[in-house]
Amino acid sequence: MENLIEYLNESLVPLEEKVKEYLHVERDIRLLEVELLSLQSMRPDFDPEQTMEQHLTNKQPQNSLNDKEQKLKDLLTKYKALQQEVIGMLPEQDKFVELNLGYGPSMVGYFTVDPETRTPLEEPVLRVVH
C-alpha cells in the first residue's frame, strides 16, 4: 500500500518553506499588477494590449519608474530567483513531489515535457498544485 502521509516527511520542510515564499511573492505580484493597471488605465497613452512586463521593459531610463513599478520590477526579479531556487531543490524534473503547504497534500514539479501530449515544452514550467 502506498504511503499516504509521505508529504509530511520532515526532510521536505525547506522545500515547503521555499514554495510558500514563492506563492506569496506570486500573489503580491498579481495584486500589484491589478493596482498598476488601474492607475495606468487613467493615463491617456494607456495600451491595454501591452503586458505589465512589456511595459516595464519598454520604459526608457530606470529612474523614470515610479515606486509601484519599481516594486513590481523587484518582485518579478525575486519571483524568478525563487523559481530557480525551488527548481534546484526538486529531486527530479517532469515529476510532482507531494508537500504539506499547510492544508493537506499539495504538489510541486518542474516540467520540460507536456504530461498529456509528451511533447517538449518551449519553455520549462514550474507547477504548484495546492
Side-chain angles (χ1 to χ4, degrees):
M1 183 172 174
E2 184 179 335
N3 186 355
L4 299 178
I5 58 170
E6 188 175 316
Y7 71 96
L8 296 173
N9 185 339
E10 287 189 28
S11 68
L12 295 173
V13 170
L15 178 59
E16 291 167 1
E17 295 302 317
K18 193 59 70 175
V19 171
K20 286 178 187 177
E21 185 179 358
Y22 172 82
L23 291 173
H24 285 293
V25 170
E26 182 179 60
R27 185 201 69 221
D28 291 345
I29 288 170
R30 300 297 169 242
L31 292 173
L32 192 55
E33 282 178 333
V34 169
E35 188 177 344
L36 276 169
L37 284 172
S38 296
L39 292 172
Q40 289 176 347
S41 66
M42 293 184 261
R43 292 188 353 201
D45 62 341
F46 176 68
D47 179 8
E49 298 298 317
Q50 191 176 39
T51 67
M52 192 57 61
E53 280 189 73
Q54 289 171 335
H55 174 72
L56 290 175
T57 55
N58 289 345
K59 283 279 193 179
Q60 293 300 322
Q62 182 83 4
N63 59 8
S64 70
L65 296 175
N66 70 30
D67 292 341
K68 292 186 186 311
E69 289 172 325
Q70 184 61 49
K71 184 176 179 182
L72 179 61
K73 194 170 187 176
D74 294 344
L75 282 173
L76 287 169
T77 301
K78 183 176 181 179
Y79 181 73
K80 289 176 183 174
L82 284 169
Q83 184 179 37
Q84 292 306 312
E85 289 179 41
V86 169
I87 289 168
M89 295 173 83
L90 291 170
E92 56 187 296
Q93 63 186 31
D94 298 321
K95 184 177 179 185
F96 277 114
V97 174
E98 285 191 349
L99 300 175
N100 180 16
L101 296 180
Y103 34 81
S106 299
M107 297 184 298
V108 63
Y110 178 68
F111 294 88
T112 58
V113 176
D114 186 310
E116 293 176 5
T117 63
R118 298 289 178 211
T119 58
L121 297 170
E122 290 179 23
E123 186 175 307
V125 176
L126 178 64
R127 292 189 177 130
V128 181
V129 180
H130 57 103

